[in-house]
Amino acid sequence: TYVLADSRIYVYDRVNIVDVLHLHANQLIIGLCLVGDNLVSYDVDNIIKIYNVKKRVLKSTIKPLSLNTNTNSSKDTITRIIHPPTHVNKILIAYESGNLELWNVKNKAMIYRFKSHLQSHSQRHKKKNKNNHDTPQTSASSCVLVVVENAPEVDIVGLGFEDGTIM
């Protein structure tokens, strides 16, 4: 069992701590994802570490170059990484902006980038004002992607946004 606390990852065997991993040099770790024999962890600086749990070695480091296309900010924070169960050595990286990237962790290559759905999401939340003009009710910057989960159907994921919208 793997448990993260601040910048450390604790490895448990039942109730005993058998190892403590310091992979992110005192950076706050946001999450973990197990992909086969690899433990994928990611921190607040969007640095992804891939640790082989059988060999107990750090295999590689990935620093995705994702840009936030919805704002003027050049930083787009990773909110979640999941492993699509039918894809070998693949992870899906989700960003606050709604962008998604499919990566191969074995060769550290981005396979595909899915553009954010936030633009279309904010278009659906427009309301007519008294002059019959559209007035946005939510801006793309206030609608943040916070949850990504695998669906029971192959190659489908569910997206949950901060405002409660589910896609």
Side-chain angles (χ1 to χ4, degrees):
T1 304
Y2 303 93
V3 177
L4 67 89
D6 295 325
S7 63
R8 295 174 304 281
I9 300 170
Y10 293 93
V11 183
Y12 281 85
D13 180 19
R14 298 183 187 225
V15 296
N16 299 316
I17 297 174
V18 293
D19 200 0
V20 180
L21 307 175
H22 300 275
L23 304 177
H24 289 268
N26 297 323
Q27 291 297 323
L28 180 66
I29 301 171
I30 299 172
L32 301 172
C33 178
L34 198 58
V35 182
D37 291 339
N38 298 311
L39 180 66
V40 178
S41 60
Y42 50 103
D43 65 27
V44 293
D45 290 332
N46 289 353
I47 295 174
I48 300 169
K49 302 279 186 167
I50 302 164
Y51 178 80
N52 186 292
V53 295
K54 292 219 175 186
K55 296 178 182 174
R56 294 187 174 205
V57 296
L58 181 64
K59 278 180 60 174
S60 59
T61 300
I62 298 173
K63 182 146 187 182
L65 299 174
S66 180
L67 297 177
N68 188 335
T69 57
N70 294 321
T71 67
N72 293 329
S73 170
S74 63
K75 178 135 170 123
D76 196 1
T77 305
I78 295 173
T79 58
R80 186 81 196 274
I81 292 181
I82 63 170
H83 168 57
T86 58
H87 298 313
V88 177
N89 295 320
K90 308 295 185 298
I91 57 173
L92 186 66
I93 303 172
Y95 295 92
E96 281 184 351
S97 67
N99 292 323
L100 303 170
E101 293 175 349
L102 184 64
W103 281 74
N104 183 319
V105 294
K106 189 173 183 177
N107 62 15
K108 300 190 315 184
M110 184 175 62
I111 298 166
Y112 192 79
R113 181 183 181 130
F114 302 89
K115 289 188 179 180
S116 173
H117 288 65
L118 292 181
Q119 218 44 316
S120 63
H121 173 73
S122 65
Q123 292 295 321
R124 284 197 311 272
H125 287 82
K126 286 186 177 182
K127 165 178 140 179
K128 301 283 185 189
N129 64 15
K130 64 181 177 180
N131 296 329
N132 206 26
H133 291 30
D134 288 337
T135 347
Q137 295 303 303
T138 57
S139 67
S141 62
S142 68
C143 188
V144 175
L145 178 64
V146 291
V147 176
V148 179
E149 286 295 330
N150 287 308
E153 188 64 34
V154 176
D155 296 336
I156 303 290
V157 295
L159 306 175
F161 293 89
E162 193 174 49
D163 68 354
T165 303
I166 299 172
M167 293 181 152

